[in-house]
Amino acid sequence: MQAGKLIVITGPSGVGKGTLVKKLLLTHSELYLSISATTRSPRSHEEHGKDYYFLTKEEFQQMIKNNSLLEWAQYTENYYGTPRIPVEARLKQGQNVLLEIEVLGAGQIKANFPNSSTVFILPPSLEELERRLQARGTETPEVIASRMEKAREEIASSDSFDFKICNEDLEVTVEDLEKIIFQS
Ligand code: 5GP
């Protein structure tokens, strides 16, 4: 059986990666979205095992030690990583797998899975990105400031990814992603 395709969606926090991925899954339920592990605290609407596996720092470190993560990175003050077993199992079964992760992790995936497709989602502008982060209403002004600082660094590295898409109009961006996933 042919192995599934690994598609990595990356880009700055607030650019709309999560919304894009949810929209894709509504019409393509055959795709598998990896559930990440994180040491960040859950937001009010988030559920353990659905949005993330919310772990303590010790539990996360144990996963690193056991080689249970396909990639991991520290993002601002928290750790985030992709559990290895579910992703490898799906790929082996021929299912296409989506990862929605930050840029350092995306780089690790590309290095280890050269056949993966990495897609960097750009905001129309930094001002618009800040506006989206503020509109989300889930982060304090300090956290927004550190995410904006990180966003500048991340955008500077966007040329190292296979595809770049500007997320101006959600519907158009979803169509662009569909072309990458199903035609490339
Ligand atoms: P948030 O705290 O807003 O949920 O996520 C912060 C950043 O971490 C986002 O850019 C998100 O895409 C990224 N992220 C989520 N899961 C993972 C993961 O498993 N690995 C890596 N490297 N980044 C992740």
Side-chain angles (χ1 to χ4, degrees), residues 11-13 17 36-37 40 43 46 52 71-73 75 80-82 100-102 105-106 136 139 147 154:
S13 170
K17 302 190 294 287
S36 297
R40 155 165 94 55
R43 296 176 184 138
E46 287 179 330
Y52 276 110
E71 61 72 35
W72 65 273
Y75 177 85
Y80 295 82
T82 304
E100 189 249 282
I101 62 179
E102 56 69 64
R136 193 155 85 174
E139 275 85 23
R147 287 184 175 220
E154 292 173 323

Coordinates of all heavy atoms in Angstrom, one line a residue, residues 11-13 17 36-37 40 43 46 52 71-73 75 80-82 100-102 105-106 136 139 147 154, ligand 1:
G11 N 3.2 28.8 10.1 CA 3.0 30.2 10.0 C 2.8 30.8 11.4 O 2.6 30.1 12.3
P12 N 2.7 32.1 11.5 CA 2.7 32.7 12.8 C 1.3 32.5 13.5 O 0.3 32.2 12.9 CB 2.8 34.2 12.5 CG 2.6 34.4 11.1 CD 2.9 33.1 10.4
S13 N 1.4 32.6 14.8 CA 0.2 32.4 15.6 C -0.8 33.5 15.3 O -0.4 34.7 15.1 CB 0.6 32.6 17.1 OG -0.5 32.7 17.9
K17 N -4.3 29.4 10.9 CA -3.9 28.0 10.6 C -5.0 27.1 11.1 O -5.5 26.2 10.4 CB -2.6 27.6 11.3 CG -1.4 28.4 10.9 CD -0.1 27.8 11.4 CE 0.1 27.7 12.9 NZ 0.4 29.0 13.5
S36 N -1.6 17.6 19.0 CA -0.3 17.9 19.6 C -0.3 17.8 21.1 O -1.4 17.9 21.7 CB 0.1 19.3 19.3 OG 0.3 19.5 17.9
A37 N 0.9 17.6 21.7 CA 1.1 17.7 23.1 C 1.6 19.1 23.4 O 2.3 19.7 22.6 CB 2.1 16.6 23.6
R40 N 1.2 24.2 27.6 CA 0.4 25.4 27.8 C -0.9 25.0 28.5 O -1.4 23.9 28.4 CB 0.1 26.1 26.4 CG -1.1 26.9 26.4 CD -1.2 27.8 25.2 NE -1.9 27.3 24.0 CZ -3.2 26.9 24.0 NH1 -3.9 26.7 25.2 NH2 -3.8 26.5 22.9
R43 N -7.2 26.7 27.1 CA -8.1 27.9 27.0 C -9.5 27.4 27.4 O -9.7 26.1 27.4 CB -8.1 28.5 25.6 CG -6.8 29.0 25.2 CD -6.8 29.6 23.8 NE -5.4 30.0 23.4 CZ -4.9 29.8 22.2 NH1 -5.5 29.1 21.3 NH2 -3.6 30.2 21.9
E46 N -11.2 24.6 25.4 CA -10.3 23.5 24.9 C -10.4 22.2 25.8 O -10.6 22.3 27.0 CB -8.8 23.9 24.9 CG -8.6 24.9 23.7 CD -7.1 25.4 23.7 OE1 -6.5 25.5 24.7 OE2 -6.7 25.7 22.6
Y52 N -5.7 19.4 22.3 CA -4.3 19.1 22.6 C -4.3 18.0 23.7 O -5.3 17.8 24.3 CB -3.7 20.4 23.3 CG -3.1 21.4 22.4 CD1 -3.7 22.7 22.3 CD2 -1.9 21.2 21.6 CE1 -3.2 23.7 21.4 CE2 -1.4 22.3 20.8 CZ -2.1 23.5 20.7 OH -1.5 24.5 19.9
E71 N 8.5 15.6 16.4 CA 9.2 16.9 16.4 C 8.7 17.6 17.7 O 7.6 17.3 18.2 CB 8.9 17.8 15.2 CG 7.4 18.2 14.9 CD 6.9 19.2 15.9 OE1 7.6 20.1 16.3 OE2 5.7 19.1 16.3
W72 N 9.5 18.6 18.2 CA 9.0 19.4 19.3 C 9.7 20.7 19.2 O 10.8 20.8 18.7 CB 9.1 18.7 20.6 CG 10.5 18.4 21.0 CD1 11.3 17.4 20.7 CD2 11.3 19.3 21.8 NE1 12.5 17.5 21.3 CE2 12.6 18.7 22.0 CE3 11.2 20.5 22.5 CZ2 13.6 19.2 22.7 CZ3 12.2 21.1 23.2 CH2 13.4 20.4 23.3
A73 N 9.2 21.7 19.9 CA 9.8 23.0 19.9 C 9.3 23.8 21.2 O 8.2 23.5 21.7 CB 9.5 23.8 18.7
Y75 N 7.9 27.2 22.2 CA 7.3 28.4 21.6 C 6.9 29.3 22.7 O 6.1 29.0 23.5 CB 6.1 28.0 20.7 CG 5.4 29.1 20.1 CD1 5.8 29.7 18.9 CD2 4.3 29.7 20.8 CE1 5.2 30.7 18.3 CE2 3.7 30.8 20.2 CZ 4.1 31.3 19.0 OH 3.5 32.4 18.5
Y80 N 5.7 22.4 22.7 CA 4.7 21.9 21.8 C 5.3 20.7 21.1 O 6.5 20.9 20.6 CB 4.2 22.9 20.8 CG 3.4 24.1 21.4 CD1 4.1 25.1 21.9 CD2 2.0 24.1 21.4 CE1 3.4 26.2 22.5 CE2 1.3 25.2 21.9 CZ 2.0 26.2 22.5 OH 1.4 27.3 23.0
G81 N 4.6 19.6 20.8 CA 5.2 18.5 20.1 C 4.2 17.6 19.5 O 3.0 17.6 19.9
T82 N 4.6 16.9 18.4 CA 3.7 16.0 17.7 C 3.9 14.5 18.1 O 5.0 14.0 17.9 CB 4.0 16.1 16.2 OG1 3.9 17.4 15.8 CG2 3.1 15.2 15.4
E100 N -0.4 20.9 12.2 CA -0.6 22.4 12.3 C 0.4 22.8 13.4 O 0.1 22.7 14.6 CB -2.0 22.7 12.6 CG -2.4 24.1 12.5 CD -2.7 24.7 13.9 OE1 -3.8 24.5 14.4 OE2 -1.8 25.4 14.4
I101 N 1.6 23.3 13.0 CA 2.6 23.5 13.9 C 3.5 24.8 13.6 O 3.3 25.3 12.5 CB 3.6 22.2 14.0 CG1 4.3 22.0 12.7 CG2 2.8 21.0 14.4 CD1 5.3 20.8 12.7
E102 N 4.3 25.2 14.6 CA 5.1 26.4 14.4 C 6.3 26.1 13.5 O 6.6 24.9 13.2 CB 5.4 27.1 15.7 CG 6.1 26.3 16.7 CD 7.5 26.0 16.4 OE1 8.3 26.9 16.2 OE2 7.8 24.8 16.2
G105 N 9.4 23.4 14.4 CA 8.9 22.0 14.3 C 8.7 21.6 12.8 O 9.1 20.5 12.4
A106 N 8.2 22.6 12.0 CA 8.0 22.3 10.6 C 9.3 22.0 9.9 O 9.4 21.1 9.0 CB 7.3 23.5 9.9
R136 N -9.1 37.5 18.7 CA -9.3 36.2 19.2 C -9.6 36.2 20.7 O -10.4 35.4 21.2 CB -8.0 35.4 19.0 CG -8.1 33.9 19.2 CD -7.1 33.2 18.4 NE -5.8 33.2 19.1 CZ -4.7 32.5 18.6 NH1 -4.8 31.9 17.5 NH2 -3.6 32.4 19.3
E139 N -5.5 35.8 24.5 CA -4.2 36.1 25.0 C -4.1 37.5 25.7 O -4.8 38.4 25.3 CB -3.1 36.0 24.0 CG -2.6 34.6 23.7 CD -3.5 33.9 22.7 OE1 -4.2 34.5 21.9 OE2 -3.5 32.6 22.7
R147 N 4.1 37.0 20.9 CA 3.7 36.3 19.7 C 4.0 37.1 18.4 O 4.4 36.6 17.4 CB 2.3 35.8 19.7 CG 2.1 34.7 20.7 CD 0.7 34.1 20.8 NE 0.8 32.9 21.7 CZ 0.2 31.8 21.5 NH1 -0.6 31.6 20.5 NH2 0.3 30.8 22.4
E154 N 9.5 34.4 12.4 CA 8.9 33.3 11.6 C 8.7 33.7 10.1 O 9.1 32.9 9.2 CB 7.6 32.8 12.2 CG 7.8 32.2 13.6 CD 6.4 31.9 14.3 OE1 5.5 32.7 14.2 OE2 6.4 30.9 14.9
Ligands
5GP1 P1 -1.3 28.0 20.5 O1 -0.8 28.2 21.9 O2 -1.8 29.3 19.9 O3 -2.3 26.8 20.5 O4 -0.1 27.5 19.6 C1 1.1 28.3 19.6 C2 1.9 27.8 18.4 O5 2.3 26.4 18.6 C3 1.1 27.8 17.1 O6 1.9 28.4 16.1 C4 0.8 26.4 16.8 O7 0.7 26.1 15.4 C5 2.1 25.7 17.4 N1 1.9 24.3 17.6 C6 0.8 23.6 18.0 N2 1.1 22.3 18.1 C7 2.4 22.1 17.8 C8 3.3 21.0 17.7 O8 2.9 19.9 18.0 N3 4.6 21.3 17.4 C9 5.1 22.5 17.2 N4 6.3 22.6 16.8 N5 4.3 23.6 17.2 C10 3.0 23.4 17.5

